[in-house]
Structures are given as structure tokens and as C-alpha cells.
Amino acid sequence: MAATVGRICGARLLKNYGLVTPQVCQLSTSTHGWTRNRKLLLSTLGVVGGGVGALLFALEQSVQASEGEAHPAHQPWSHNGWFQSLDHASIRRGYEVYKQVCKACHSLQYIAFRNLVGVTHSEEAAKAEAAEVMIRDGPDEQGNYFERPGKLSDYFPSPYPNENAARAANNGAYPPDLSLICSGRKGGEDYIFALLTGYMDAPAGVILREGQNYNPYFPGGAISMAQVLFNEAAEYSDGTPATASQLAKDVATFLRWCSEPELDDRRLMTIKVIGMFSMLAAIVYYFKRHKWTTMKSRKLAYKPVSKK
């Protein structure tokens, strides 16, 4: 026993006070103090890392400020915040805007009709929406391709058979797919809303080619897409006044959902995880205090046997 305690003291697991005789040692689970050089090194690394991060942030802001396009203003979206959900009524209206206006040129190749179920449409309504489009399928037993009504498992078809056909129909410009447009553009739905409502006459000195329009929120200002949203440009099934700003707001919300269809489920899971882990943290903290309170407060005394 004496040899064991001696080895423990030699390994510096027991703090040796040695004030009085007999020698008293206290069990300690704290780490040893860092050396001065180590503290200096870590402090230097922290300061340098923070300075580099601040420099990169300042450079990014300066580059953005020097760009030619205007920066979209932040709008008070109902889904801002960690615990806010998307406005499903607005998503449905945005789908109607896409169907009546945007669908003629832009595709949604990563969105299937089944994604609408439980979000904007019931299952029967989604089936009816899918059946309105003809999907190219095949080959059949004779090796021929054919067209059939759409099903829930089908993805939204592209309005053009290929990229060359799309460019030929749009004066050489290729209409981008809108499935991930909010995630792929800086500003997200703010950029979409500003772009759709920001068309204006070109200022003096700006030369536009034939078929181009001026939009200060588009890089370079010259955009091939004409202004498509006007008052009453689409019709809402719920009777909402179809102003240009309302149309832009709803289609931007719809495209936000297209970029992250799982957004509401992820935020709901976040609330559940925070609740469960809060309770588990309290239980673990109590168990830790209950188990370690005796280990941290006990003392071991070593009384050497005097030789006679």
C-alpha cells in the first residue's frame, strides 16, 4: 500500500502540501498549469487567427461594395429566424405564379410532383397537377419512346428539349433552372424579389444590345429576361390581389422552398433536439456532481511507519 501511494505521489496525481508531519496528499483532477511559452504561443495564434478572419471579412465587404450591381434590401420574410416556418399559403400562390408565368422558360428539374403533397396540395390535387403535363417515357416493347400523363414520381419537365433549343428561343440566353436559384444566388429570396421588381430604364451611358433590359440588381445591369411581373399578370385561386410586389414575394417564397424542401422539418427537429438535450444536460450535470463530489473532496493521508 505504501509503495502504491508513493508511486501516485511520484506521478504527481496527488498534490503534495507537506506543511506538517505527517505528510498529507490531496487527490486532484485538475490539469497542470501551462507554461509561459505555451500560453504566449496560443495567445499569438488566437490573435493572428482573429486578425486574418477580420481581414478576410473586410476584403469581402469591400469587394461587394465595389461591384457594379445594386445590393438587394433585406425583406421581413415570415420564415426568417431559426424557429420560423415557411408560409405555406404563400408557397401555393408562388407555385401558381411559376405555373402561369415562369414555367414557359424556366425548369424545376430537382422538384417532383410528390414534393407538393402536404405542402401546397393534397395528394389528389398533386396527382391532378401531374396529370396535366405530358412526360416523355420509354422505350416500350417495340423500342419507341412515347408520351404519357405525369405521375407523382415524375419531376417537373423542362420547357425545352435541350440547351440549344432554349438559347435559340431566348436570343442566345439560357434560362437557368430555378430549383436551387435561392441557394445559388447571394441574397437568396431578397435577390429574387429585388430582381423581379427592379426593372427600370437604362441610365445615360449604359448601352444595351437588342433584346436586353436594364436591371440594377443583375450583374452588369444588362439582362435578357424581360420584365414579366405586372399587376394582374397571374391569377390567384384564393382571391389575393395579384399586385406585382405580391407576385414577386410569393414566387420568391416558393423558390426558397424549392431550394430547401426540408427546411420546416429541419427546424422542427431543431426545437425537439434543443428540448431533449436540455433535459439530458441537466441529468448529466446532476449525475456528474453526484458521482464526483466525493472524489474531488476526499483526502488521502500517508503515514509512514517509523522504524524502531
Side-chain angles (χ1 to χ4, degrees):
M1 178 66 184
T4 303
V5 176
R7 286 194 298 270
I8 294 176
C9 290
R12 300 183 66 183
L13 295 177
L14 294 176
K15 290 183 177 179
N16 186 1
Y17 290 91
L19 298 178
V20 295
T21 304
Q23 201 173 39
V24 178
C25 297
Q26 181 179 5
L27 181 67
S28 174
T29 58
S30 62
T31 59
H32 301 298
W34 288 346
T35 63
R36 183 175 179 275
N37 291 336
R38 187 176 182 183
K39 290 181 179 179
L40 182 61
L41 175 62
L42 293 177
S43 300
T44 304
L45 291 177
V47 172
V48 172
V52 171
L55 178 61
L56 292 176
F57 179 79
L59 288 176
E60 181 186 8
Q61 296 300 317
S62 64
V63 169
Q64 293 176 8
S66 64
E67 293 174 351
E69 68 271 12
H71 299 285
H74 181 65
Q75 304 296 332
W77 303 98
S78 61
H79 53 268
N80 285 339
W82 287 4
F83 306 112
Q84 303 295 326
S85 63
L86 291 165
D87 184 355
H88 285 226
S90 182
I91 297 175
R92 182 183 177 92
R93 292 194 298 267
Y95 168 74
E96 293 176 350
V97 176
Y98 168 79
K99 181 180 177 181
Q100 300 177 40
V101 180
C102 310
K103 184 180 178 181
C105 298
H106 296 276
S107 60
L108 284 176
Q109 61 177 343
Y110 298 115
I111 300 297
F113 289 99
R114 65 172 179 267
N115 296 128
L116 302 177
V117 178
V119 179
T120 60
H121 296 74
S122 63
E123 183 175 351
E124 295 301 324
K127 287 182 179 179
E129 290 289 327
E132 292 180 1
V133 300
M134 301 302 294
I135 304 297
R136 188 171 184 266
D137 203 350
D140 55 15
E141 295 179 355
Q142 286 75 34
N144 299 320
Y145 287 89
F146 59 94
E147 290 189 346
R148 58 167 177 79
K151 300 181 294 186
L152 287 180
S153 58
D154 292 322
Y155 288 82
F156 281 80
S158 174
Y160 303 104
N162 51 62
E163 180 178 344
N164 291 337
R167 291 186 181 277
N170 293 276
N171 198 25
Y174 181 59
D177 180 79
L178 299 182
S179 302
L180 303 174
I181 194 71
C182 273
S183 298
R185 296 292 187 272
K186 188 174 181 62
E189 54 268 46
D190 292 325
Y191 168 78
I192 301 298
F193 180 84
L195 183 72
L196 293 175
T197 58
Y199 285 87
M200 61 180 61
D201 295 333
V206 176
I207 300 176
L208 300 177
R209 293 182 298 179
E210 182 180 358
Q212 288 186 331
N213 304 272
Y214 182 75
N215 193 313
Y217 297 100
F218 189 76
I223 183 173
S224 296
M225 184 181 74
Q227 184 175 2
V228 293
L229 295 185
F230 303 92
N231 293 336
E232 307 298 332
E235 183 178 353
Y236 287 136
S237 60
D238 60 358
T240 301
T243 61
S245 59
Q246 182 69 47
L247 296 172
K249 178 257 185 184
D250 290 333
V251 77
T253 303
F254 171 71
L255 294 178
R256 179 71 168 90
W257 170 80
C258 290
S259 296
E260 294 181 271
E262 77 289 348
L263 180 64
D264 286 350
D265 294 335
R266 190 171 68 244
R267 289 181 175 176
L268 181 61
M269 182 60 67
T270 300
I271 297 175
K272 294 179 180 179
V273 168
I274 290 176
M276 291 188 294
F277 274 87
S278 298
M279 293 185 292
L280 289 176
I283 295 173
V284 170
Y285 179 75
Y286 173 80
F287 185 76
K288 179 259 183 186
R289 295 281 296 177
H290 176 72
K291 283 293 183 182
W292 283 90
T293 182
T294 55
M295 295 293 292
K296 288 189 174 183
S297 60
R298 71 177 182 173
K299 292 183 178 180
L300 299 177
Y302 169 57
K303 297 181 179 180
V305 179
S306 60
K307 298 181 180 180
K308 295 182 179 179

